[in-house]
Amino acid sequence: MGQLHIFFFPMMAQGHMIPTLDMAKLVASRGVKATIITTPLNESVFSKVIQRNKNLGIRLIKFPAVENDLPEDCERLDLIPSDDKLPNFFKAAATMQESLEQLIQECRPNCLVSDMFFPWTTDTAAKFNIPRIVFHGTGYFALSAVDSLRLNKPFKNVSSDSETFVVPNLPHEIKLTRSKLSPFEQSDEESVMSQMVKAVRDADSKSYGVIFNSFYELEPDYVEHYTKVLGRKNWAIGPLSLCNRDIEDKAERGKKSSIDKHECLKWIDSKKSSSIVYVCFGSVANFTTSQLQELALGLEASGQDFIWVVRTDNEDWLPKGFEERTKGKGLIIRGWAPQVLILDHESVGAFVTHCGWNSTLEGISAGVPLVTWPVFAEQFLNEKLVTEIMRTGAAVGSVQWKRSASEGVKREAIANAIKRVMVSEEAEGFRNRAKAYKELARQAIEEGGSSYSGLTTLLQDISTYSSTGH
């Protein structure tokens, strides 16, 4: 039946586009034709890699920003001027349906892999009798926990936001507080966002299945739970970041790096093994000025060498004299950093992260202990996986789910969590467990490994669907 052809349609956000590009590359490496669908402004995220890969292509769809009361170039989540414009962004995305259908009509792909935030693509795929596969961009544990929270609503039985409750019917006893949950998951009223959450769930259950950027050995209890208890067809094919084997690929993920990779590596090369703390909070999380200052002073108090990636829109927040006092000990990168390249370096001993799933997995794949500082989305759940189930990380004690202007973590807590994974009596245990997971991640993607086989099964399933029509 000729070469398989898969459409990949990621949400326009760095944390969704980057793993989708890795996924498309992975599929292309198996001889399958992969086409990425995105908007004109985001083409540059993909173009370099696509030029280097004969089975990869890209098609652009116009994003109707202005028509939906968004600024003209607002084609990515991190460019939305304020949170109250989020619904506009999702509405604009939904109006891309007609353009997507024209493309499918023209190219006749065998399958559509689309982001969870495009629930309407389930109907689109059905029109053309091709399978829609969902990409959530998170792990099995988080999705299993979210499902239990939705069905059982245990947060309704506590008297305050800080009282703990157990998330029922999971393989481990996981305790949370209401303050760590998304307001959309808790509310009964019909806000645009809670309607969105519901639409995502409904479209999920009607879709053909779910692809996970994870691997069986990372969360085996939850792969089983998701498959058997929740009864969903799924394929684990991660960690996707490991498909980047050479320096160019590792350095060029996402935006152009704000620091020359050689300059960056030279600085890291000059440091002892496992001596650097790498600090980065992804492309969306943001903190108040006072919180950034606490973080700076916490880093300084930890006494460790560090690389700190800050988004460039913050300038006057560094504590007075901080850069002079930490000269030689600290490297501040303003803007985008070659994260995979840095994490893979043997001088890096810990990663302070917001627990976004991509960053979490990149840290796991590099075998470094994590210092967990969740902010929003499902990050508080990812923290539980790391600190309680895998036991490869220490929490700074962030307790408040907040999409922007996050705060409330004190410098002492930051310094203590860093020291715990770097220099305490427990440090070696953290390191050994982290290294063991790194090894499992590597094995999973090698031929014969669980994720390698997962991808083989996925491609077979799509072929079978194409030849039989379901």
Side-chain angles (χ1 to χ4, degrees):
M1 56 163 269
Q3 187 184 29
L4 269 189
H5 183 192
I6 302 177
F7 265 18
F8 290 92
F9 187 19
M11 180 61 171
M12 293 76 73
Q14 292 291 353
H16 295 241
M17 295 188 292
I18 293 173
T20 302
L21 175 58
D22 287 340
M23 194 173 3
K25 266 165 67 174
L26 195 59
V27 163
S29 74
R30 297 283 193 99
V32 172
K33 186 174 175 195
T35 302
I36 291 166
I37 313 297
T38 193
T39 68
L41 183 92
N42 294 301
E43 183 178 12
S44 61
V45 174
F46 306 101
S47 46
K48 264 208 170 123
V49 174
I50 284 172
Q51 285 157 14
R52 288 207 294 267
N53 204 311
K54 69 172 192 327
N55 283 327
L56 273 186
I58 190 164
R59 296 299 294 262
L60 303 177
I61 296 184
K62 185 182 171 316
F63 185 76
V66 180
E67 299 86 321
N68 286 281
D69 197 24
L70 291 164
E72 192 172 352
D73 282 344
C74 185
E75 294 183 19
R76 218 177 41 234
L77 270 184
D78 58 329
L79 300 175
I80 298 175
S82 63
D83 279 1
D84 54 352
K85 291 284 190 208
L86 264 175
N88 302 49
F89 192 85
F90 288 123
K91 218 169 94 196
T95 59
M96 295 158 80
Q97 182 161 7
E98 201 178 315
S99 311
L100 177 68
E101 290 178 3
Q102 284 165 354
L103 274 182
I104 294 179
Q105 181 75 47
E106 183 194 327
C107 305
R108 293 290 172 172
N110 305 92
C111 175
L112 172 62
V113 175
S114 63
D115 204 281
M116 61 178 275
F117 283 122
F118 300 145
W120 46 272
T121 54
T122 294
D123 295 336
T124 292
K127 272 186 199 173
F128 294 92
N129 193 21
I130 59 172
R132 179 227 172 177
I133 297 177
V134 189
F135 181 56
H136 276 272
T138 189
Y140 288 90
F141 169 73
L143 281 191
S144 301
V146 164
D147 201 75
S148 168
L149 289 166
R150 178 180 61 89
L151 287 174
N152 303 295
K153 303 201 183 321
F155 47 82
K156 293 216 179 260
N157 310 328
V158 288
S159 51
S160 74
D161 281 352
S162 56
E163 188 188 330
T164 59
F165 58 84
V166 172
V167 184
N169 308 333
L170 291 182
H172 295 82
E173 184 178 82
I174 300 297
K175 291 181 174 164
L176 284 171
T177 58
R178 233 170 18 205
S179 68
K180 295 180 178 181
L181 298 184
S182 144
F184 316 125
E185 293 285 354
Q186 297 176 62
S187 81
D188 290 330
E189 73 224 40
E190 284 297 299
S191 72
V192 178
M193 284 310 286
S194 46
Q195 280 172 320
M196 178 74 186
V197 170
K198 189 178 178 313
V200 165
R201 258 197 323 262
D202 294 346
D204 257 27
S205 57
K206 291 197 209 91
S207 71
Y208 180 57
V210 182
I211 289 181
F212 280 91
N213 181 12
S214 184
F215 57 103
Y216 183 84
E217 296 75 8
L218 178 63
E219 34 182 0
D221 295 342
Y222 294 90
V223 178
E224 299 289 339
H225 179 85
Y226 188 85
T227 308
K228 293 180 179 148
V229 181
L230 305 183
R232 302 295 320 278
K233 194 170 180 59
N234 64 84
W235 306 267
I237 63 169
L240 293 169
S241 62
L242 290 180
C243 76
N244 299 287
R245 301 288 176 133
D246 63 19
I247 298 260
E248 285 308 309
D249 282 348
K250 288 180 185 180
E252 281 170 8
R253 301 178 75 231
K255 300 184 199 165
K256 186 164 167 33
S257 172
S258 317
I259 183 170
D260 176 70
K261 52 181 182 285
H262 303 295
E263 182 195 336
C264 179
L265 287 173
K266 203 168 97 180
W267 191 88
I268 305 179
D269 283 339
S270 72
K271 301 291 179 182
K272 291 205 298 285
S273 173
S274 302
S275 68
I276 301 172
V277 180
Y278 173 67
V279 186
C280 181
F281 296 97
S283 55
V284 184
N286 72 48
F287 296 103
T288 60
T289 302
S290 61
Q291 180 63 82
L292 285 169
Q293 291 175 339
E294 284 294 309
L295 169 50
L297 295 167
L299 268 176
E300 192 179 347
S302 77
Q304 308 300 308
D305 290 349
F306 62 86
I307 294 177
W308 183 5
V309 183
V310 289
R311 298 232 299 291
T312 41
D313 41 9
N314 305 322
E315 259 323 307
D316 313 323
W317 47 268
L318 272 180
K320 224 175 158 44
F322 175 77
E323 288 199 77
E324 294 76 69
R325 290 196 304 275
T326 56
K327 209 173 171 59
K329 278 189 83 64
L331 175 66
I332 295 180
I333 300 178
R334 290 179 166 80
W336 193 262
Q339 178 157 299
V340 170
L341 203 59
I342 294 171
L343 285 171
D344 278 346
H345 198 289
E346 60 167 37
S347 298
V348 174
F351 177 16
V352 180
T353 172
H354 63 306
C355 300
W357 187 240
N358 294 320
S359 289
T360 302
L361 259 190
E362 285 165 12
I364 290 167
S365 304
V368 289
L370 305 182
V371 174
T372 58
W373 190 328
V375 181
F376 72 107
E378 86 296 359
Q379 294 158 9
F380 286 93
L381 295 169
N382 295 339
E383 171 179 67
K384 291 283 178 188
L385 176 70
V386 168
T387 56
E388 293 178 19
I389 297 172
M390 299 168 64
R391 299 183 21 253
T392 56
V396 297
S398 167
V399 295
Q400 187 63 51
W401 195 102
K402 210 158 180 242
R403 226 191 87 83
S404 52
S406 178
E407 59 185 358
V409 179
K410 294 281 175 264
R411 66 189 80 164
E412 297 76 20
I414 299 164
N416 286 340
I418 290 173
K419 287 199 275 206
R420 227 185 117 189
V421 300
M422 290 291 284
V423 293
S424 74
E425 285 168 11
E426 301 168 86
E428 199 179 337
F430 282 120
R431 258 199 294 277
N432 291 340
R433 286 189 290 275
K435 286 206 166 77
Y437 276 107
K438 169 184 178 168
E439 196 40 50
L440 292 171
R442 299 250 172 255
Q443 289 166 4
I445 64 157
E446 296 300 337
E447 202 164 334
S450 58
S451 292
Y452 187 93
S453 308
L455 181 56
T456 304
T457 306
L458 169 67
L459 298 176
Q460 283 165 348
D461 288 348
I462 295 170
S463 284
T464 308
Y465 193 105
S466 297
S467 54
T468 58
H470 51 76

